Amino acid sequence: MTDQSTQPRPTLEAVAARAGVSRATVSRVVNGGEGVREPLVERVRRAVEELGYVPNQAARSLVTRRHDAVAVVIAEPETRVFADPFFALQLRGISKELTAHDSQLVLLLTEGRDDHARVARYLAGGHVDGALVFSLHLDDPLPSLIHGVPTVYGGRPGWSDGSRGVVYVDCDNRGGAREAVRHLVGLGRTRVAHITGALDQTSAVDRLDGFRDVMVDVDPRLIVESDFTPGGGEHAMRELLERCPDVDAVFAANDLMAVGAMRALRERGRRVPEDVAVIGFDDMLPFTEQADPPLTTVRQDIEEMGRLMARLLLRGLDRSGAAAAGAPSSVVLPTTLVRRVSA
Amino acid sequence: MTDQSTQPRPTLEAVAARAGVSRATVSRVVNGGEGVREPLVERVRRAVEELGYVPNQAARSLVTRRHDAVAVVIAEPETRVFADPFFALQLRGISKELTAHDSQLVLLLTEGRDDHARVARYLAGGHVDGALVFSLHLDDPLPSLIHGVPTVYGGRPGWSDGSRGVVYVDCDNRGGAREAVRHLVGLGRTRVAHITGALDQTSAVDRLDGFRDVMVDVDPRLIVESDFTPGGGEHAMRELLERCPDVDAVFAANDLMAVGAMRALRERGRRVPEDVAVIGFDDMLPFTEQADPPLTTVRQDIEEMGRLMARLLLRGLDRSGAAAAGAPSSVVLPTTLVRRVSA
């Protein structure tokens, strides 16, 4: 399409001629330089630079099996990836860590679950050294489609039982939820409701478990299943007000739903926190600080989780490092309750 | 890392044994099936399916030179990619078009310009069939680093002179700007200012040219250079009010800056549109409708531009299609003035 596509690329032969060495020597230098004397390495490097030679990585990777690239797969339609700041934060952490190791971040976007077979094909196709996989739903076929690609998961996969060598990074969803609900109870609230996330995701299930840990024998009408979106939170809050007009506190499983719930409360003339106290989960800045009123929430360090995922994957790929540090294992980060105005 | 990484992948040999054919036959079927009789193709396909065989694409692509994947490169730090809804809209159009052709969208994220050499390496490395490149700044080295990869640009590249076979998709930036400024003049405004985008991007330069087409011999203090961000627009508006307190209209080179400018005007007690009329560019929905007051702007169909870029690239890759349709050429889409409240 551009003229560049038809320009001949400098060949290995051209580099060899320029450097005055054999093809085999150029090939060895390009693939790491082992067993080649330093002055020769230098000459080849200069020729490579002068000619703008780019080794064909499809061929090269057959030898080295390294691509210096890591795939990120978010198992959500691309519209949600860009609408939910959670993913942007996690990608920021990943991007920083990969860039520091000169590894290319390759984000594989999809329209929906039908595309996951294609994603798995790309992963298996020898284009990346490993994969970081997020936001899996329990029945997603993706993990079973991934073969032969080192993978670190964001959030505990539902099918992981701890014994199968699955590596993930998560936060203490259950402990964080417990702390949030205890805080509401400590404020003297007695009709504490919970708006859940999508219950085919472990983060939502774990937060619900944390809620139940504190609210033993809770009135089941105080639990409404939702989906982690602002619209879902708004809708769930309306339903809660219908079912239990005496509700005096809400723990929403993420900040987006908490803000949606506050919108529904305002619309019905309920004051936050005077009539109904509201707590979210994530601490998505600056969004939580700018909410009206500023949102009390459970903070998890999302960017740091992204960074850690990338670090665990790279450590697993670097065999010498792994030998020193041992095989990577999953990490669960602590959470903190951040008190603002809403509860 | 996961157990999958250590599971042996089914081999070509295993498929050959299962189907009762030679390795060469399996290889031919996997690479398109030419010259193999249909019953054999059927047997091999069934064996491939039963064993869950995934051909090594690094090896396969050396033969077929097809990856069924297209890279998208946005020449901005990843933080801006996620902060500016413009990119999300364009990616939506691209994603829909590629998915319809079962081609994987591979988004290459970077921290900054220092990473562009790595991006070019990935592009040249045989991992994608082509590239869609956006948001180039005039001195960006990326285009000169891309070799041998069919490329379509989003926005007219500054170094393109029309004769070098460069293919891009753009909107009529200059014509749209002219229409916006004529509208302000038509409202009876006489002190019309312009807040420019980053002038190392052709879109910003073209919109400035459109402004000058109408405002011949304009007071140079009425033009403030900015950067396409809301903060930049706010800052520029404050500077305009200092320089020219009698300013009665502003054409901002995008919606984000227009909204920033309206914030600065409100802060100084100027009413929009009564005291100062404001027009943006892009029509980023729902953002422009929800602005206070709703923003008059120049609409370009951003999602459609993304879709078109993908379509042009795929058409160029499909040689049979190109033979029928001719080589793809650049497209410049029209713009429309959308009148709301701010002007």
Side-chain angles (χ1 to χ4, degrees):
Chain A
M1 335 244 11
T2 74
D3 60 336
Q4 288 129 336
S5 68
T6 50
Q7 264 175 17
R9 276 166 56 171
T11 60
L12 192 74
E13 285 74 16
V15 175
R18 178 81 153 224
V21 301
S22 69
R23 284 181 82 257
T25 299
V26 174
S27 178
R28 273 206 299 277
V29 171
V30 162
N31 291 307
E34 274 170 58
V36 182
R37 282 178 305 118
E38 191 50 43
L40 281 190
V41 170
E42 208 27 67
R43 254 157 69 193
V44 171
R45 288 223 174 107
R46 211 174 315 125
V48 162
E49 215 159 86
E50 285 163 5
L51 294 175
Y53 172 71
V54 180
N56 182 328
Q57 291 205 350
R60 179 179 148 190
S61 70
L62 284 175
V63 180
T64 64
R65 304 191 157 273
R66 276 300 287 259
H67 308 280
D68 292 321
V70 166
V72 174
V73 182
I74 302 176
E76 301 280 352
E78 60 83 23
T79 43
R80 261 215 70 198
V81 173
F82 279 87
D84 190 335
F86 188 89
F87 300 119
L89 278 171
Q90 225 151 7
L91 281 166
R92 187 167 312 164
I94 294 170
S95 177
K96 280 183 187 159
E97 186 70 19
L98 292 182
T99 296
H101 290 85
D102 204 24
S103 189
Q104 179 59 46
L105 197 170
V106 173
L107 178 59
L108 302 179
L109 290 177
T110 65
E111 288 285 297
R113 201 170 291 187
D114 290 349
D115 304 329
H116 288 182
R118 193 183 63 231
V119 165
R121 219 154 62 220
Y122 195 80
L123 290 178
H127 302 298
V128 292
D129 301 319
L132 303 174
V133 178
F134 286 99
S135 194
L136 278 180
H137 297 256
L138 278 176
D139 56 346
D140 194 308
L142 190 57
S144 64
L145 295 170
I146 304 179
H147 295 287
V149 182
T151 303
V152 171
Y153 291 91
R156 177 173 57 83
W159 38 264
S160 107
D161 57 6
S163 65
R164 295 164 62 199
V166 173
V167 179
Y168 62 84
V169 174
D170 207 344
C171 79
D172 182 8
N173 289 301
R174 188 165 181 163
R178 270 199 299 260
E179 198 180 354
V181 181
R182 275 198 204 112
H183 174 68
L184 293 170
V185 172
L187 294 174
R189 308 292 165 135
T190 54
R191 295 288 282 168
V192 181
H194 180 41
I195 300 175
T196 79
L199 288 177
D200 62 349
Q201 297 191 274
T202 57
S203 57
V205 173
D206 292 353
R207 290 170 201 178
L208 171 58
D209 285 345
F211 174 80
R212 285 187 191 281
D213 287 343
V214 182
M215 305 301 289
V216 185
D217 296 327
V218 68
D219 177 349
R221 293 173 306 163
L222 285 169
I223 298 175
V224 180
E225 196 174 331
S226 190
D227 63 358
F228 283 133
T229 70
E234 191 171 349
H235 185 82
M237 189 70 235
R238 284 204 201 102
E239 197 169 321
L240 272 172
L241 287 169
E242 291 282 317
R243 289 185 193 176
C244 312
D246 60 343
V247 59
D248 60 7
V250 180
F251 165 51
N254 75 350
D255 293 339
L256 295 180
M257 293 196 297
V259 166
M262 294 204 294
R263 214 183 302 144
L265 287 166
R266 196 161 41 237
E267 170 195 291
R268 301 294 175 94
R270 305 286 185 109
R271 294 164 306 164
V272 176
E274 294 84 347
D275 302 325
V276 182
V278 177
I279 295 192
F281 202 108
D282 286 341
D283 197 20
M284 209 93 84
L285 291 169
F287 184 73
T288 41
E289 279 173 347
Q290 290 166 2
D292 178 23
L295 188 68
T296 294
T297 187
V298 179
R299 173 183 295 163
Q300 56 172 327
D301 192 338
I302 304 170
E303 188 175 330
E304 176 63 17
M305 286 170 69
R307 211 166 5 222
L308 256 175
M309 286 177 69
R311 206 171 297 159
L312 287 179
L313 184 69
L314 293 173
R315 196 184 297 162
L317 296 176
D318 174 9
R319 264 174 270 143
S320 59
S329 59
S330 297
V331 177
V332 176
L333 294 172
T335 60
T336 335
L337 184 70
V338 179
R339 289 204 57 184
R340 294 198 180 90
V341 181
S342 69
Chain B
M1 336 240 17
T2 75
D3 60 335
Q4 289 129 334
S5 68
T6 51
Q7 263 175 17
R9 276 165 57 170
T11 60
L12 192 73
E13 286 75 15
V15 175
R18 178 84 152 221
V21 300
S22 70
R23 284 181 83 255
T25 301
V26 175
S27 177
R28 272 206 298 277
V29 171
V30 163
N31 291 307
E34 274 170 60
V36 182
R37 285 177 303 118
E38 192 49 45
L40 280 191
V41 169
E42 209 23 70
R43 255 157 68 192
V44 171
R45 290 224 174 109
R46 211 176 314 125
V48 162
E49 216 159 86
E50 284 163 6
L51 294 175
Y53 172 72
V54 180
N56 183 327
Q57 291 206 350
R60 180 179 148 190
S61 70
L62 284 175
V63 181
T64 66
R65 303 192 158 272
R66 276 301 286 259
H67 308 279
D68 292 321
V70 166
V72 174
V73 182
I74 302 175
E76 301 280 354
E78 59 83 25
T79 43
R80 260 214 71 197
V81 173
F82 279 87
D84 190 334
F86 187 90
F87 299 119
L89 277 171
Q90 225 151 6
L91 281 166
R92 187 167 311 163
I94 294 170
S95 177
K96 280 183 186 159
E97 187 69 20
L98 292 182
T99 296
H101 290 85
D102 204 24
S103 189
Q104 180 57 47
L105 196 171
V106 173
L107 178 59
L108 302 180
L109 290 177
T110 64
E111 289 284 298
R113 200 169 292 186
D114 290 349
D115 304 329
H116 288 181
R118 194 184 61 232
V119 165
R121 218 155 62 220
Y122 195 80
L123 290 178
H127 303 299
V128 292
D129 300 320
L132 303 173
V133 177
F134 287 99
S135 195
L136 277 180
H137 297 256
L138 279 175
D139 56 345
D140 194 308
L142 190 57
S144 64
L145 294 170
I146 302 179
H147 294 287
V149 182
T151 301
V152 172
Y153 291 91
R156 177 174 57 84
W159 37 265
S160 105
D161 58 5
S163 65
R164 296 165 61 198
V166 172
V167 179
Y168 62 85
V169 173
D170 207 344
C171 79
D172 182 9
N173 289 302
R174 187 164 181 164
R178 269 200 300 258
E179 198 181 353
V181 180
R182 274 197 205 113
H183 174 69
L184 293 170
V185 171
L187 293 174
R189 308 290 165 137
T190 54
R191 295 287 282 167
V192 181
H194 180 41
I195 300 176
T196 78
L199 289 176
D200 62 348
Q201 298 191 272
T202 56
S203 57
V205 173
D206 292 353
R207 291 169 200 178
L208 172 58
D209 285 345
F211 173 81
R212 285 186 191 280
D213 287 344
V214 182
M215 305 301 289
V216 185
D217 296 326
V218 67
D219 177 349
R221 292 174 307 163
L222 284 168
I223 298 175
V224 181
E225 193 174 332
S226 189
D227 63 0
F228 284 133
T229 70
E234 192 172 348
H235 185 82
M237 190 68 235
R238 284 204 201 102
E239 197 168 322
L240 272 172
L241 287 169
E242 291 282 317
R243 289 186 194 174
C244 312
D246 60 342
V247 58
D248 60 7
V250 180
F251 165 51
N254 75 351
D255 294 339
L256 295 180
M257 293 196 298
V259 167
M262 294 204 294
R263 213 183 303 144
L265 287 165
R266 197 162 38 238
E267 171 195 291
R268 301 291 176 95
R270 305 285 184 110
R271 293 164 308 163
V272 177
E274 294 84 348
D275 302 324
V276 182
V278 177
I279 295 192
F281 202 109
D282 286 342
D283 198 19
M284 207 93 84
L285 291 169
F287 185 74
T288 40
E289 280 175 346
Q290 291 166 2
D292 178 22
L295 188 69
T296 294
T297 187
V298 180
R299 175 183 293 165
Q300 57 171 329
D301 192 338
I302 303 169
E303 189 176 327
E304 176 63 16
M305 286 171 69
R307 213 169 1 225
L308 256 176
M309 286 176 70
R311 206 171 297 158
L312 288 179
L313 184 69
L314 292 172
R315 196 185 296 161
L317 296 176
D318 174 10
R319 263 175 271 142
S320 59
S329 60
S330 297
V331 177
V332 176
L333 294 171
T335 59
T336 336
L337 184 71
V338 179
R339 289 205 56 184
R340 295 201 180 90
V341 181
S342 70

